[in-house]
Amino acid sequence: MVCSNRDVLEVIERLLGHLEINVTCVMSTDAALVMLQTETYSAMISDHKMKDFNGREFSRTVRQLFPALNVVLFEGNTSSQVMDLFLGPEVSEISEVQNQACSLGDMLMSILRGERGKTFLLRQTSTR
C-alpha cells in the first residue's frame, strides 16, 4: 500500500485486515519500489493522486518492472473518502486495450484468486 497520508494507510490496512489480507504500508514510491524488489506481493495499492507523484504514472512504471503484479489505484485522500470508496465504489479494470467496469468483489477476488497483471481504478460512484 502506497500513500502519503498515514491516516488513509491505517484505514485501508484495517479494512483489509478484516479480510485477513496482510498489508505492508509505505509513504513513498521509492520505498514501494524497494519493497517490491525485495519481497513478493500479489498486489500493490496506491493513491491515484498524491502531492509528490501521479499514481497512474507510478503504476505504469510498476507494470513495466513487475508485469504480473496486480495494481489497484484509488481516488480519495482522506479516511472518510476511502471509507466511502469501500461502501459505494465504481471499479474499472484498466489496460491499454480495455477499460471495463467490475464490482469491488470481482476486483478483490481477482487479486485473491491469483489472477495477475491487472490494473484497477477504484473511485466513488457519486459525490456525497
Side-chain angles (χ1 to χ4, degrees), residues 5-6 12 16 19 21 28 30-32 36-37 55 67 75 80 124:
N5 184 325
R6 185 171 304 282
I12 292 177
L16 295 177
L19 299 172
I21 298 172
S28 74
D30 291 338
L36 289 169
Q37 292 169 350
E75 293 182 347
S80 62
Q124 279 182 270

Side-chain angles (χ1 to χ4, degrees), residues 8 22 31 36 45 57 67 76 79-80 84 86 90 99 108 114 120 123-124:
V8 169
N22 294 326
L36 289 169
I45 302 171
E57 289 176 15
S79 297
S80 62
D84 286 345
F86 280 84
E90 173 185 311
N99 182 2
L108 292 173
F120 300 92
R123 58 183 157 207
Q124 279 182 270

Side-chain angles (χ1 to χ4, degrees), residues 81-93:
Q81 288 172 328
V82 169
M83 288 299 293
D84 286 345
L85 284 177
F86 280 84
L87 296 174
E90 173 185 311
V91 181
S92 299
E93 185 179 329

Side-chain angles (χ1 to χ4, degrees), residues 1-2 12 29 43-50 53-63 70-76 82 85-86 89-95 104 107 111 118-124:
M1 170 66 204
V2 186
I12 292 177
T29 56
M44 180 192 75
I45 302 171
S46 176
D47 194 347
H48 184 247
K49 296 178 183 174
M50 289 194 263
F53 71 91
N54 178 304
R56 190 171 263 188
E57 289 176 15
F58 178 58
S59 73
R60 285 189 188 118
T61 299
V62 168
R63 173 70 57 235
N70 287 327
V71 175
V72 180
L73 298 171
F74 67 90
E75 293 182 347
V82 169
L85 284 177
F86 280 84
E90 173 185 311
V91 181
S92 299
E93 185 179 329
I94 302 169
S95 73
L104 179 63
M107 179 193 76
I111 293 169
K118 293 188 173 188
T119 301
F120 300 92
L121 176 62
L122 179 63
R123 58 183 157 207
Q124 279 182 270

Side-chain angles (χ1 to χ4, degrees), residues 7-41:
D7 292 336
V8 169
L9 287 175
E10 289 176 7
V11 165
I12 292 177
E13 185 175 27
R14 272 190 249 133
L15 287 169
L16 295 177
H18 289 294
L19 299 172
E20 299 182 359
I21 298 172
N22 294 326
V23 182
T24 302
C25 298
V26 294
M27 296 180 71
S28 74
T29 56
D30 291 338
L33 287 173
V34 168
M35 297 300 295
L36 289 169
Q37 292 169 350
T38 58
E39 302 288 332
T40 301
Y41 295 95

